[in-house]
Amino acid sequence: MKKLVALLMLAVMLVSSLPAMADDVSDAMYKEIRGTTVSVLFAAEPTALQKKQIKAFELKYGCKVEPFIMSWNDWKNQFLSLVVAGTVPDVISIPDEPYLKWLARGLLQPVDDYINVDDPIWNPLVYDAFEWKGQHYGFHFNGVSPIYVVYNATLFYEKGVKTPMEYYEDGKWNFKNFRKCAIEMTGDGVIGCGTDWKYIFALANGSTIIDIDRDNGVVTLAFNEENAIAGQELCVELAQGGYFKWGNCFDVFANGELAMFMERPGNVIGQFDLRNTTLANSEIEIVPMPIGPDNDEGVAPAIFDAYGIPRGAKNPLGGAAWAYYNAQYSEKHKDDEDVVENRRKTYTDEQYEFVKAYQDETTFINTFCYGIWYAEDWAYWADMFYNGYTPQTAFAKYESEFQYLIDNMFVE
């Protein structure tokens, strides 16, 4: 019996030491960057918070960080020419939107040699999502940004309409009641809901629009599957009825003219400091996306992004080290006064605890379809929104065009 207890204790000790051992392996790997320069992509001049992290990184690894500053739109447009010219940073952000396009054009290099995949700091969901033919092109300690329904609760109270959070707490936040809210909230200068993420309802119904066989590098269309169709049908019904705003919704929400906005809360609330500006007298609430009727697993829509290393990076190990240190630094300093102050621009403390708990217990999905087409799906949606097409008839009309884009993207 004593021997069994001893063996069990040894097993517990070994398991509990695994994260520390993985951390040691990562740290030893990145000590090799001492004396080098690490070029890091920033969309704007580093903030005060980012400058603190840069200084701490330089002190720990004895290296120099060189910010590579370029706006997101400029980066997307110039990435190819920068790779050709050999003037790329050592680490970049790879959103799910352009990922497949960048991959197909050979703009990314595998990251497998630059991270310790066994380190528990990395998010396996993101690592696996950015896998292609046995190699991985993205990694992140988080990398998942859920889409929520950000809503103006004050408008609901004024109209006497049951709020999304009330439906959620009753366990009835589904497509049927989302539709009900959108219809009841439309009128008197207010639109019921809106978003620029046109496939959001398909995702909320468990569809990823395209199916990806990552092992073999094969992409197939999934528009015509039952869960995709039901999601598209809700979107089309709301749009045709005038209950849905398609496109840029930031201004209309900020002006109190949109009841529900499906977006990332930081992009809606915190980015424009709405709690202290145009909606200072309104109550802004946050609730998960409704669950679709075919979403048996309860998955939820999210944007995925990863750290990646562009082809031609001069210090790829340094780029991976920056991402690794960013993970450690973010966790260690998450409750710093300046971090909390910035977080509160988006979330109340109660909302922050709510989204943390929700994200810990939820499985998220995304779509990589925009890496194959972007504006090329406009006619498909326009026919449904304005010309009376159903999702089935629209897919039948445009299937060959979508397939052509897939076939021509992955020509070797």
Side-chain angles (χ1 to χ4, degrees):
M1 183 66 178
K2 289 182 179 180
K3 184 177 180 181
L4 176 59
V5 171
L7 288 171
L8 289 172
M9 289 178 64
L10 177 60
V12 170
M13 290 171 63
L14 287 172
V15 170
S16 64
S17 69
L18 284 176
M21 290 169 61
D23 183 75
D24 290 343
V25 170
S26 297
D27 245 344
M29 179 189 302
Y30 299 132
K31 284 179 181 177
E32 299 298 319
I33 69 169
R34 179 169 295 277
T36 67
T37 297
V38 183
S39 178
V40 179
L41 179 64
F42 289 93
E45 184 68 30
T47 64
L49 286 173
Q50 289 169 332
K51 287 178 180 178
K52 284 174 60 176
Q53 181 180 331
I54 289 172
K55 184 177 180 179
F57 175 75
E58 290 175 332
L59 287 172
K60 177 168 183 177
Y61 289 106
C63 62
K64 173 72 175 175
V65 170
E66 184 179 86
F68 186 106
I69 300 170
M70 183 174 284
S71 72
W72 168 237
N73 284 332
D74 286 344
W75 174 255
K76 282 200 302 184
N77 294 331
Q78 297 180 40
F79 188 18
L80 175 59
S81 60
L82 290 170
V83 169
V84 172
T87 55
V88 291
D90 297 314
V91 63
I92 62 173
S93 173
I94 311 175
D96 50 26
E97 173 205 311
Y99 165 61
L100 289 177
K101 194 180 298 292
W102 289 357
L103 181 70
R105 291 177 177 176
L107 303 182
L108 306 171
Q109 62 174 293
V111 301
D112 304 80
D113 291 340
Y114 305 114
I115 68 168
N116 172 25
V117 69
D118 295 323
D119 196 313
I121 206 163
W122 304 125
N123 185 344
L125 176 64
V126 171
Y127 185 70
D128 291 342
F130 287 81
E131 186 264 341
W132 191 258
K133 294 185 177 180
Q135 295 180 304
H136 298 81
Y137 293 84
F139 59 105
H140 208 291
F141 61 93
N142 183 4
V144 175
S145 300
I147 303 294
Y148 287 89
V149 178
V150 181
Y151 68 97
N152 188 328
T154 299
L155 294 178
F156 280 81
Y157 301 150
E158 290 173 350
K159 287 201 171 189
V161 174
K162 187 172 181 177
T163 69
M165 183 57 79
E166 289 173 323
Y167 280 116
Y168 181 81
E169 290 175 339
D170 289 343
K172 297 179 179 179
W173 187 226
N174 50 37
F175 276 16
K176 175 183 176 182
N177 288 321
F178 180 94
R179 175 183 177 277
K180 190 171 187 290
C181 283
I183 293 172
E184 290 181 353
M185 288 303 301
T186 298
D188 302 321
V190 174
I191 301 173
C193 64
T195 189
D196 192 31
W197 303 104
K198 300 184 292 291
Y199 298 103
I200 192 70
F201 294 111
L203 284 163
N205 202 28
S207 167
T208 56
I209 300 302
I210 57 173
D211 291 328
I212 304 177
D213 176 354
R214 289 170 169 83
D215 290 336
N216 297 299
V218 176
V219 177
T220 54
L221 297 170
F223 281 88
N224 219 28
E225 294 177 1
E226 186 176 335
N227 54 352
I229 290 170
Q232 309 291 65
E233 284 175 339
L234 175 60
C235 188
V236 170
E237 178 191 0
L238 293 174
Q240 291 178 347
Y243 312 116
F244 174 80
K245 176 172 173 54
W246 175 25
N248 189 334
C249 297
F250 293 98
D251 288 343
V252 288
F253 186 80
N255 293 331
E257 299 167 350
L258 184 68
M260 299 182 292
F261 188 0
M262 287 82 81
E263 245 294 356
R264 293 153 291 181
N267 283 26
V268 181
I269 309 168
Q271 180 176 214
F272 301 102
D273 199 18
L274 293 186
R275 298 188 190 278
N276 297 307
T277 55
T278 58
L279 294 182
N281 296 319
S282 297
E283 188 175 330
I284 307 172
E285 290 291 348
I286 300 165
V287 71
M289 281 292 298
I291 299 293
D294 306 302
N295 187 356
D296 298 329
E297 297 179 4
V299 296
I303 307 300
F304 284 9
D305 71 276
Y307 288 105
I309 299 172
R311 181 162 58 86
K314 295 178 177 62
N315 189 0
L317 186 63
W322 168 263
Y324 174 71
Y325 187 75
N326 189 26
Q328 293 183 315
Y329 188 91
S330 298
E331 178 62 26
K332 182 178 179 181
H333 296 275
K334 64 182 179 182
D335 294 321
D336 285 4
E337 184 177 344
D338 49 0
V339 175
V340 172
E341 181 182 356
N342 186 61
R343 185 179 72 213
R344 284 174 175 161
K345 288 183 179 180
T346 297
Y347 304 104
T348 66
D349 290 346
E350 182 180 6
Q351 288 171 345
Y352 180 66
E353 293 302 321
F354 171 78
V355 299
K356 274 204 311 180
Y358 169 73
Q359 289 171 204
D360 284 345
E361 62 187 24
T362 303
T363 299
F364 293 98
I365 61 170
N366 75 321
T367 178
F368 284 100
C369 71
Y370 281 124
I372 301 173
W373 60 82
Y374 190 71
E376 292 91 343
D377 67 345
W378 190 90
Y380 161 78
W381 282 99
D383 269 344
M384 291 188 291
F385 283 178
Y386 308 122
N387 299 326
Y389 279 62
T390 66
Q392 294 94 327
T393 55
F395 176 75
K397 179 178 179 180
Y398 293 99
E399 178 182 7
S400 61
E401 293 185 26
F402 288 123
Q403 189 61 52
Y404 174 83
L405 293 171
I406 291 175
D407 294 342
N408 281 270
M409 171 166 285
F410 296 102
V411 172
E412 303 232 351

